[in-house]
Amino acid sequence: MKKLFLLGFVASLADCVAAPPPAATPPAPTITVQTGRPGADINPAMWGIFFEDINFGADGGLFAELVKNRAFEFPDPMTGWMKISTSLAQGQLSIRDDDAFDPANPHYVRIHSEGTAHFGISNQGFRGIGLQAGETYDFSAQIRLLDGAPRLNINLVGGDGAMLASVSLTNFPSRWEKVAAELHPKATDPKARLDLILEGKGTVDCDMISLFPRHTWKNRPVGLRADMVQMLADLKPGFMRFPGGCIVEGSYLDRRYQWKNTILPVPDRKLLVNRWNYEFEHRPTPDYFQSFGLGFFEFFQLCEDIGAQPLPILNCGMACQFNSGELVPLAELQPYIQDALDLIEFANGPAGSLWGAKRAALGHPAPFNMKMMGVGNEQWGPQYIERYAAFAKVLKAQHPEIMLVTDAGPSPADDRFNFLWPKLRELRADIVDEHCYDHPLWFFTNTARYDHYDRNGPKVFMGEYAAQSVDVVSPKNRNNLECALAEAAYLTGLERNADVVRMASYAPLFANADAWQWTPDLIWVDSLRVYGTPSYYVQQLFSRNRGDTVLPVELRGAESPPSQIQRLYASAARDGQAHEIILKVVNPGTAAIAARINLAGMAKIGPDATSTVLAGANLSDVNSFDDPRKIAPVQSQFHPPASPFPWTFPPHSFTVLRLKPE
Ligand code: AHR
């Protein structure tokens, strides 16, 4: 998909800032904040997150299930499983679908052993099962006994073959029944496996073989990985867009995301191949499927947990236009529109309504208070406009309270974009989702992009963006400091234009270091660890220092010709509740910049001001599992003298100052 893009720039910031030094030292720049001239209000939900099941973001990521293909429903039912046998063992494994424990989940494994030696199956999880010593792990499976009286040993085995925990089960029922056990590994291992070994002669059938850490987010059984959700909570996101992205569209319509499937009982949620399984020839991931353990109910619940407004995106009758581009004829669009109506009832309807009752049955009688919904992901052309108009006609008539998010295609400035915007303006769209994946230079040189947008037209949602250190979808892209600073500079432009740009979210959110398809990503994880990239900390600094009103900022002496990159970028806001002025400044250059800060209208500054600085020695610096906070914000307090006062912005830095009037 993105590989089809033609890119204008190949220059990096390093190239640009390495321009010959100016003949004389440029004068100190001045940053003037008009503290007494409040501008537009900033949407409380301005800085959000975008979750898509890409890079093993859900299965093998946020969804804490440790067994891959637990239900044997992958097209090759033994994907993720291996036979365990020895030369002395005599036994058979077979995959069957007769008399399943759940007809919606038909396949299961039959294990028969002659009892001559241990015989069974092993699951390696999502590129290795991560186990923590001292934690409790819950094993469960649907099991029935066919014949004999064998024991079933449930073993957690380390990457080096060491036995880390074991429990032996026996006396199985002859009808399907859920069997459970807890295990306590004696050592930590990021690459363990789960073995099920039959001891003694006999035959058992097994399905839904599952292993969860007891400790999940809020300790919910069958829940989410606590460390990953904590990273999201720490961002204090204003909203969460989900479940995609291209997975909403599907490469074909029958592979689109269908939310109703994802609120069924967990074993009944029909497995779907993940479109990122096969999208990139250079990053094939044949074992990538969506089990929907993280489904729409769990998404809404997660939003509520972390204080983010839910923003579900629905298929609008179009498959991904980078793939098949399959279209639902307009005359047959009704079921898609009905899905949207039903989702509103599922999220907001009373517990007595048809779909509200399903929400209540899942454990949430109170409404989720959804206020917005997306129609389509990255669609384009007249086909999208026609379909959006059909959705809007019905949804606006029946639910004027729901803000509809439309899209402007995959690029922030091409023919598709230029076609869509005027049409969406004509249709009086509420808010248009713009996407941009480009080089850091694009972000540095587009900070004024929204200064000239129509103030009376649809609002803007910058729904997907990320600076690409090498090229779009290049597997060599790194989440380095240069990209983070470019994004921070760009976000100052969004904040200055908060009357037009009402929401923004980086993309993609998560990547499993052992199973990713797309880089850069905001947060990297492996089976046990998680770290935020420099871009993550930029997001966090904006979100946690949002403010509620824009303040005008004037920058003097910030230009640096011939470089297209300014010496400084800045935006300011007022936090009415905290009575603070928030000033955000990016210095992308290699030299510290001594500037003057003028807080016009603030006679005296209070003593406990804070500065939070995200900086690093080199633009190529990155965080990693071993050095997760190499580039991370450092906060300190200071007592500024009266305004104006001098301030030095370190090289390669993003600084947030919070100042109170005395
Ligand atoms: O973020 C990865 C992909 O980029 C999204 O699925 C899609 O919307 C965009 O093209």
Side-chain angles (χ1 to χ4, degrees):
M1 34 160 315
K2 285 289 176 342
K3 61 194 161 199
L4 302 176
F5 288 0
L6 286 174
L7 292 159
F9 302 109
V10 194
S12 74
L13 171 57
D15 300 334
C16 295
V17 292
T25 314
T30 308
I31 304 171
T32 302
V33 182
Q34 298 294 346
T35 67
R37 294 219 323 251
D41 74 292
I42 300 171
N43 178 5
M46 172 86 172
W47 310 110
I49 52 178
F50 162 51
F51 178 86
E52 173 166 23
D53 189 1
I54 185 172
N55 303 317
F56 278 37
D59 290 299
L62 209 45
F63 184 51
E65 172 63 81
L66 294 169
V67 177
K68 184 168 68 189
N69 190 17
R70 61 186 173 176
F72 302 93
E73 297 301 328
F74 282 27
D76 170 357
M78 284 303 282
T79 301
W81 295 95
M82 269 174 14
K83 180 163 85 175
I84 301 237
S85 187
T86 62
S87 53
L88 294 176
Q90 289 176 29
Q92 284 122 36
L93 292 181
S94 51
I95 298 292
R96 308 179 63 101
D97 61 4
D98 52 306
D99 193 17
F101 93 96
D102 178 354
N105 182 338
H107 297 98
Y108 59 89
V109 66
R110 176 162 293 175
I111 311 173
H112 167 75
S113 173
E114 285 298 323
T116 48
H118 290 183
F119 182 77
I121 52 174
S122 176
N123 191 287
Q124 68 214 186
F126 297 89
R127 313 285 204 267
I129 292 177
L131 298 177
Q132 295 276 11
E135 292 284 343
T136 301
Y137 290 83
D138 287 309
F139 166 86
S140 67
Q142 290 284 342
I143 299 187
R144 74 176 163 196
L145 179 72
L146 273 286
D147 55 60
R151 305 176 79 77
L152 185 63
N153 296 330
I154 313 300
N155 300 336
L156 295 178
V157 181
D160 60 359
M163 183 70 80
L164 302 179
S166 180
V167 63
S168 195
L169 305 174
T170 186
N171 292 327
F172 298 109
S174 59
R175 292 184 176 196
W176 286 111
E177 212 170 86
K178 186 169 174 181
V179 172
E182 63 179 63
L183 293 121
H184 305 271
K186 61 183 181 199
T188 294
D189 196 316
K191 296 277 179 197
R193 60 174 210 256
L194 169 72
D195 290 355
L196 278 71
I197 308 286
L198 265 196
E199 197 183 326
K201 186 169 175 173
T203 311
V204 292
D205 290 340
C206 304
D207 203 353
M208 287 303 283
I209 300 173
S210 168
L211 185 73
F212 268 90
R214 174 80 51 89
H215 175 51
T216 56
W217 172 252
K218 291 193 177 280
N219 290 331
R220 290 194 185 109
V222 192
L224 305 181
R225 235 178 95 166
D227 57 345
M228 291 175 69
V229 180
Q230 191 59 55
M231 290 294 283
L232 302 184
D234 290 347
L235 284 172
K236 291 204 184 302
F239 66 90
M240 182 166 90
R241 175 177 180 245
F242 61 87
C246 294
I247 66 163
V248 168
E249 306 164 61
S251 42
Y252 298 92
L253 280 169
D254 63 359
R255 293 183 183 178
R256 71 189 187 279
Y257 194 101
Q258 301 195 53
W259 72 268
K260 287 176 178 168
N261 174 48
T262 76
I263 60 160
L264 295 172
V266 173
D268 295 358
R269 299 178 185 179
K270 198 169 169 350
L271 188 88
L272 182 67
V273 64
N274 190 303
R275 55 109 62 216
W276 300 108
N277 172 314
Y278 48 80
E279 179 65 19
F280 296 137
E281 279 163 21
H282 60 288
R283 298 290 301 176
T285 321
D287 56 342
Y288 199 2
F289 288 79
Q290 298 172 83
S291 74
F292 301 109
L294 171 56
F296 257 42
F297 177 78
E298 291 79 16
F299 277 124
F300 279 108
Q301 197 175 41
L302 172 60
C303 288
E304 186 173 77
D305 290 348
I306 62 177
Q309 288 190 28
L311 169 51
I313 308 295
L314 296 190
N315 186 296
C316 65
M318 302 176 80
C320 181
Q321 289 162 281
F322 288 110
N323 301 138
S324 72
E326 216 182 329
L327 285 175
V328 178
L330 284 174
E332 294 166 26
L333 205 54
Q334 177 48 30
Y336 289 71
I337 297 174
Q338 192 60 46
D339 273 357
L341 293 169
D342 293 342
L343 182 62
I344 296 171
E345 189 173 287
F346 176 73
N348 295 350
S353 62
L354 176 67
W355 289 94
K358 295 183 194 291
R359 180 195 69 238
L362 285 161
H364 202 287
F368 280 119
N369 196 19
M370 177 177 87
K371 295 185 177 136
M372 50 192 172
M373 172 188 272
V375 179
N377 171 44
E378 272 181 356
Q379 329 301 154
W380 64 80
Q383 300 85 350
Y384 175 56
I385 295 296
E386 289 162 357
R387 280 159 187 76
Y388 166 68
F391 268 76
K393 191 169 167 207
V394 178
L395 292 174
K396 284 294 173 194
Q398 296 191 32
H399 289 286
E401 75 283 8
I402 299 289
M403 179 173 88
L404 294 184
V405 177
T406 56
D407 81 86
S411 156
D414 66 358
D415 290 349
R416 296 169 288 199
F417 181 93
N418 294 333
F419 169 82
L420 288 169
W421 249 106
K423 300 278 179 207
L424 292 170
R425 194 172 289 121
E426 262 170 49
L427 287 169
R428 297 179 174 278
D430 295 329
I431 186 163
V432 179
D433 179 5
E434 299 189 351
H435 292 180
C436 179
Y437 298 91
D438 213 321
H439 295 93
L441 189 59
W442 186 94
F443 290 88
F444 281 117
T445 53
N446 275 275
T447 56
R449 173 181 174 88
Y450 297 106
D451 291 2
H452 311 293
Y453 261 51
D454 175 6
R455 269 38 212 175
N456 299 312
K459 303 296 181 198
V460 172
F461 166 34
M462 191 76 211
E464 291 185 27
Y465 63 87
Q468 316 283 298
S469 67
V470 176
D471 208 345
V472 183
V473 305
S474 166
K476 294 187 181 147
N477 283 332
R478 310 294 310 276
N479 281 103
N480 61 28
L481 180 59
E482 177 185 6
C483 292
L485 293 177
E487 290 151 8
Y490 186 67
L491 297 190
T492 63
L494 269 51
E495 187 177 88
R496 281 191 299 99
N497 288 283
D499 57 330
V500 167
V501 184
R502 300 298 286 167
M503 294 158 62
S505 47
Y506 181 100
L509 187 57
F510 285 118
N512 181 321
D514 294 318
W516 56 272
Q517 298 81 46
W518 180 298
T519 179
D521 305 288
L522 204 61
I523 299 166
W524 286 80
V525 308
D526 65 13
S527 67
L528 290 176
R529 297 173 297 174
V530 54
Y531 76 86
T533 59
S535 296
Y536 172 89
Y537 291 112
V538 166
Q539 295 293 316
Q540 192 179 56
L541 286 173
F542 269 88
S543 181
R544 289 180 160 221
N545 297 284
R546 175 177 49 79
D548 43 45
T549 314
V550 179
L551 293 175
V553 178
E554 195 193 336
L555 261 177
R556 288 229 170 140
E559 302 75 26
S560 175
S563 171
Q564 293 169 273
I565 296 172
Q566 294 176 198
R567 296 172 69 203
L568 294 178
Y569 296 85
S571 61
R574 189 178 70 185
D575 180 336
Q577 224 182 354
H579 301 290
E580 287 179 351
I581 305 297
I582 306 167
L583 176 62
K584 303 189 180 81
V585 181
V586 178
N587 171 11
T590 48
I593 294 186
R596 282 176 77 70
I597 297 179
N598 178 17
L599 300 179
M602 195 192 274
K604 278 191 166 178
I605 310 172
D608 19 310
T610 59
S611 88
T612 309
V613 180
L614 184 76
N618 303 299
L619 291 170
S620 57
D621 282 352
V622 294
N623 291 339
S624 62
F625 290 113
D626 295 329
D627 199 354
R629 290 185 63 88
K630 180 172 179 164
I631 306 291
V634 177
Q635 200 183 70
S636 48
Q637 291 211 317
F638 67 106
H639 185 171
S643 170
F645 61 92
W647 191 265
T648 299
F649 294 99
H652 307 146
S653 66
F654 172 40
T655 301
V656 180
L657 300 181
R658 294 190 73 117
L659 305 127
K660 257 193 210 318
E662 193 164 55

